[in-house]
Amino acid sequence: MPLCDGVRVSWLRFEFIFLVAPSFSMNSVSRLFFLLPACMLLLAACSNQSQDVRESRFIMGTLVQFTISGVEEGMALEAIRAAAAEMQRIEDVFTIYGTQANAVKAFNASVPGEVVALPGEVDSLLKTSIEVAQQSGDAFTPVIGSLSILWGFSLPEVPVAPPSELDIVTALIGVDTQMLVHESKGWKRLNSQTQLDFGAIAKGYAIDRGIAVLREHGIGNAIVDAGGDLRAIGDHAGKPWRIGLRHPRKEGATLGWFEASGDISIVTSGDYERFFLYQGKRYQHILDPQSGMPAERSSSATVISVANATIADAWSTALFVSGAEGLPLLESRGMQGLLVDADGQMHASKLTILPFHPSAQ
Ligand code: AMP
Ligand code: MG
């Protein structure tokens, strides 16, 4: 039975997403929870009886959900097709995984001291990343590649045990942006352990590019939601988009929701996305560049910014590593933060871009 007239197709698609999700290379908790925002949006759609067009694609290791409101279906689908192609292109340019060659992998394999020319957009995102590293006290850093690969959270097989202390100490030598040197013809690294990893920022950049392409196709009201990291533009049939924030521990529950209109990014780094349990301890994919170990202060860190999902993505990772004490730093950059710490306590920054409506727990 359709939930309401305008969203019959979307509802069917939602069921389909749910059914195919278990084949993805994610843990079962992630599979379930990254569907929540779609669910919340579906409720919003019903309340407005609007005709949304909703499509999903598997890009960057996650399900990317496009929701477009207020235009006819053919125009929306064409815009989504182009936006998805652009986001896939960005994954190919920035990924350090898989066998397809790219400049980032070439850099990571270069002889220390050799200058490697990086394409303009890689050069630009690297400069942005270095800035955020400096501003965040290296809680976020783009040179975490060797450590990321050592832990292996993004490899096809989820790891079953932590690496050795010696291997962690060795990889940590490269986790230092001072080991990157920019020259007129490109970049060089000073140590073979210094490897780029854009995993904490490229998804936000892809979302921004996806939104830009949608706009080029005449779309003014849309959400691009990459597994819970999203940017919302315009509104939903004259009302704000309603966006749920998943609970990091309670399966199927939300912490609360936001109402967004205009141009807003909401990006979350969570310890439920990729993790394994070893001898009763949880090891998750966001690493503390100081210790080389999974960061332990947070279970979920959300950053809300006006427009820019790229910056929100980098800062959500930084906030996750820093914990609640990182909130004032975030605010000083004009962003709002919401953090669930390792004990399950929620901390919110004083700066409010969007009011947060907590769910009854
Ligand atoms: P996110 O889910 O946006 O927080 O990004 C996590 C991904 O970024 C990981 O899978 C790693 O590839 C990479 N990463 C892990 N820890 C850090 C860190 N402290 N700084 C920058 N990138 C990181
Ligand atoms: Mg991030």
Side-chain angles (χ1 to χ4, degrees):
M1 200 177 82
L3 214 59
C4 59
D5 285 350
V7 291
R8 182 179 184 128
V9 175
S10 305
W11 177 242
L12 292 173
R13 194 169 286 134
F14 175 71
E15 283 183 326
F16 173 71
I17 293 162
F18 193 84
L19 287 171
V20 298
S23 66
F24 299 154
S25 60
M26 293 177 167
N27 61 66
S28 57
V29 181
S30 301
R31 282 181 209 127
L32 191 63
F33 280 118
F34 71 77
L35 297 171
L36 274 176
C39 185
M40 296 299 287
L41 293 173
L42 189 69
L43 295 175
C46 278
S47 66
N48 286 308
Q49 295 282 310
S50 69
Q51 294 280 351
D52 289 351
V53 177
R54 196 172 278 129
E55 282 278 312
S56 302
R57 300 280 196 289
F58 193 66
I59 311 169
M60 299 174 298
T62 198
L63 199 70
V64 180
Q65 173 120 7
F66 300 87
T67 306
I68 292 184
S69 171
V71 296
E72 58 91 13
E73 189 179 26
M75 178 177 172
L77 290 176
E78 178 55 26
I80 290 170
R81 191 200 56 71
E86 172 66 356
M87 293 175 77
Q88 181 59 59
R89 184 192 68 75
I90 290 163
E91 176 180 2
D92 296 343
V93 166
F94 285 97
T95 185
I96 57 171
Y97 299 99
T99 52
Q100 201 178 324
N102 67 21
V104 179
K105 289 178 195 167
F107 179 85
N108 286 352
S110 64
V111 177
E114 175 194 352
V115 177
V116 178
L118 296 176
E121 75 181 331
V122 178
D123 179 87
S124 171
L125 199 62
L126 180 54
K127 286 176 182 157
T128 302
S129 298
I130 291 171
E131 270 171 36
V132 178
Q134 286 162 353
Q135 292 161 359
S136 70
D138 289 314
F140 161 93
T141 179
V143 285
I144 205 155
S146 51
L147 200 61
S148 296
I149 287 171
L150 178 67
W151 277 93
F153 287 103
S154 296
L155 295 172
E157 294 297 320
V158 179
V160 291
S164 74
E165 263 178 52
L166 179 63
D167 285 347
I168 291 171
V169 169
T170 306
L172 262 181
I173 295 167
V175 185
D176 179 357
T177 50
Q178 303 286 342
M179 303 262 184
L180 284 180
V181 181
H182 188 218
E183 296 197 345
S184 57
K185 289 193 175 145
W187 294 80
K188 64 184 181 188
R189 58 188 190 145
L190 301 181
N191 189 291
S192 62
Q193 293 293 333
T194 302
Q195 298 193 5
L196 301 176
D197 175 6
F198 291 97
I201 192 170
K203 199 195 278 184
Y205 175 63
I207 291 170
D208 284 343
R209 287 295 310 138
I211 288 287
V213 171
L214 291 181
R215 281 181 164 151
E216 281 161 26
H217 282 73
I219 305 297
N221 302 300
I223 294 186
V224 177
D225 176 356
D229 295 347
L230 62 85
R231 182 164 163 190
I233 58 167
D235 58 34
H236 189 231
K239 294 193 173 165
W241 295 103
R242 194 171 191 222
I243 295 156
L245 186 60
R246 62 146 292 176
H247 195 294
R249 288 292 176 273
K250 289 188 192 158
E251 200 167 302
T254 53
L255 287 172
W257 72 93
F258 299 98
E259 287 184 329
S261 54
D263 189 346
I264 296 287
S265 293
I266 304 175
V267 179
T268 300
S269 288
D271 68 357
Y272 46 81
E273 290 171 31
R274 271 166 273 155
F275 68 91
F276 63 86
L277 296 170
Y278 178 72
Q279 297 182 344
K281 189 170 156 56
R282 171 192 284 255
Y283 293 86
Q284 60 73 39
H285 76 297
I286 301 166
L287 304 171
D288 184 338
Q290 295 292 318
S291 64
M293 299 293 290
E296 289 189 326
R297 293 183 181 161
S298 315
S299 59
S300 168
T302 300
V303 170
I304 297 107
S305 74
V306 176
N308 206 323
T310 307
I311 295 295
D313 190 7
W315 276 96
S316 74
T317 306
L319 180 62
F320 187 99
V321 172
S322 308
E325 69 185 46
L327 285 168
L329 200 55
L330 194 72
E331 270 186 58
S332 72
R333 303 259 148 216
M335 289 172 279
Q336 176 184 352
L338 205 68
L339 185 103
V340 181
D341 68 21
D343 298 325
Q345 291 293 317
M346 193 172 329
H347 306 258
S349 58
K350 292 190 188 81
L351 180 72
T352 305
I353 295 170
L354 293 183
F356 181 64
H357 307 282
S359 305
Q361 297 295 326

